[in-house]
């Protein structure tokens, strides 16, 4: 069965860095676009970034552009999010999700990993 | 401030029919198909409706979606207590070149 398992969340100080991972199984990872979506405590969903199948194309929300970097390793069935210069407003549960193309619906989501930015 | 506008809350009694609206613009709902996600308390979102009105396998036919112009709606008929959740509309935005979400609607079953 399809599984997406995020890891790497935790408590980090403002201006610090963190790297999130998403381990995929149960499907052909290299056939899907992958996306990071976050949800601040008590708030709605916000798209963060997506990456194409071959990593040739990425895009970022304005709120994280220049600070976050998405990447993937198809050989390891893994998705990553390198987060630098973290701010308090980056505090959220971060979900990874898959879609056939970048404009397609997210048919599977991970369970999320919590990132807390606080001094 | 979300790109798509949803009412923050909705409610109904068991057996009733409720609708949740989602308003956007020509660069998103007006030119692309709408998806709806259900987020039960403490869990990750789950796809509920895709391509405006299609249900993934396993989703009861009590859930239906529609789209007209730059607005979309989710309807839930025969409301049940287990439908109590947050509901989000989402759609690709041609200007942002990324997906956008509504602010979410919390459905309460009275």
């Amino acid at each position: 069965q399809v599984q997406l398992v995020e890891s790497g969340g935790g408590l980090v100080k403002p201006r610090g860095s963190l790297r999130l991972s998403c381990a995929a199984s149960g499907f052909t990872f290299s056939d899907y676009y992958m996306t990071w979506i976050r949800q601040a405590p008590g708030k709605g969903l916000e798209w963060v970034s997506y990456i194409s199948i071959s990593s040739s194309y990425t895009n970022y929300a304005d709120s994280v552009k220049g600070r976050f970097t998405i990447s993937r390793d198809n050989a390891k069935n893994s998705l990553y999010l390198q987060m630098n210069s973290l701010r308090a407003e980056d505090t959220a549960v971060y979900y990874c999700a898959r879609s056939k193309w970048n404009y397609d619906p997210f048919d599977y989501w991970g369970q999320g990993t919590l990132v807390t930015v606080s001094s | 401030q979300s790109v798509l506008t949803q009412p923050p809350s909705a409610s109904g009694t068991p057996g009733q029919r409720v609708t949740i609206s989602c308003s956007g613009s020509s660069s998103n709902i007006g030119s692309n198909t709408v998806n709806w996600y259900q987020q039960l308390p403490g869990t990750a979102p789950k796809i509920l409706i895709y391509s405006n009105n299609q249900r993934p396998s396993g989703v009861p036919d009590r859930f239906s979606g529609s789209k007209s112009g730059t607005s979309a709606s989710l309807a839930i008929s025969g409301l049940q207590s287990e439908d109590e959740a947050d509901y989000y509309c989402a759609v690709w935005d041609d200007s942002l070149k990324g997906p956008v979400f509504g602010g979410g609607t919390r459905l309460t079953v009275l």
Side-chain angles (χ1 to χ4, degrees), chain B residues 50-88:
Chain B
Y50 67 96
S51 296
N52 299 332
N53 54 19
Q54 302 300 300
R55 282 186 311 278
S57 61
V59 173
D61 59 7
R62 302 186 295 104
F63 295 91
S64 62
S66 63
K67 183 186 114 168
S68 178
T70 58
S71 293
S73 289
L74 173 70
I76 309 171
S77 59
L79 200 59
Q80 299 180 4
S81 58
E82 55 261 41
D83 298 334
E84 202 160 86
D86 293 328
Y87 293 85
Y88 294 90

Side-chain angles (χ1 to χ4, degrees), chain A residues 5-21:
Chain A
V5 180
E6 301 93 337
S7 61
L11 175 64
V12 61
K13 290 181 166 50
R15 296 175 298 283
S17 297
L18 210 56
R19 188 194 195 209
L20 304 184
S21 299

Side-chain angles (χ1 to χ4, degrees), chain A residues 68-94:
Chain A
F68 290 11
T69 302
I70 191 171
S71 62
R72 66 190 294 165
D73 185 336
N74 287 343
K76 293 183 177 178
N77 292 336
S78 293
L79 173 72
Y80 307 101
L81 187 68
Q82 178 66 43
M83 304 186 296
N84 299 330
S85 304
L86 282 161
R87 307 166 179 165
E89 53 266 35
D90 295 318
T91 294
V93 173
Y94 285 73

Side-chain angles (χ1 to χ4, degrees), chain A residues 12-107:
Chain A
V12 61
K13 290 181 166 50
R15 296 175 298 283
S17 297
L18 210 56
R19 188 194 195 209
L20 304 184
S21 299
C22 170
S25 61
F27 67 101
T28 304
F29 182 69
S30 56
D31 281 351
Y32 289 83
Y33 273 68
M34 296 300 296
T35 297
W36 288 99
I37 295 156
R38 69 184 180 183
Q39 185 171 35
K43 301 295 185 184
L45 302 170
E46 180 190 18
W47 165 68
V48 174
S49 178
Y50 64 77
I51 186 167
S52 64
I53 289 168
S54 61
S55 304
S56 58
Y57 187 68
T58 60
N59 198 13
Y60 300 88
D62 285 345
S63 57
V64 307
K65 204 170 287 186
R67 300 188 299 122
F68 290 11
T69 302
I70 191 171
S71 62
R72 66 190 294 165
D73 185 336
N74 287 343
K76 293 183 177 178
N77 292 336
S78 293
L79 173 72
Y80 307 101
L81 187 68
Q82 178 66 43
M83 304 186 296
N84 299 330
S85 304
L86 282 161
R87 307 166 179 165
E89 53 266 35
D90 295 318
T91 294
V93 173
Y94 285 73
Y95 297 101
C96 63
R98 77 168 200 182
S99 60
K100 252 310 183 171
W101 296 99
N102 53 358
Y103 49 79
D104 275 336
F106 305 114
D107 60 353

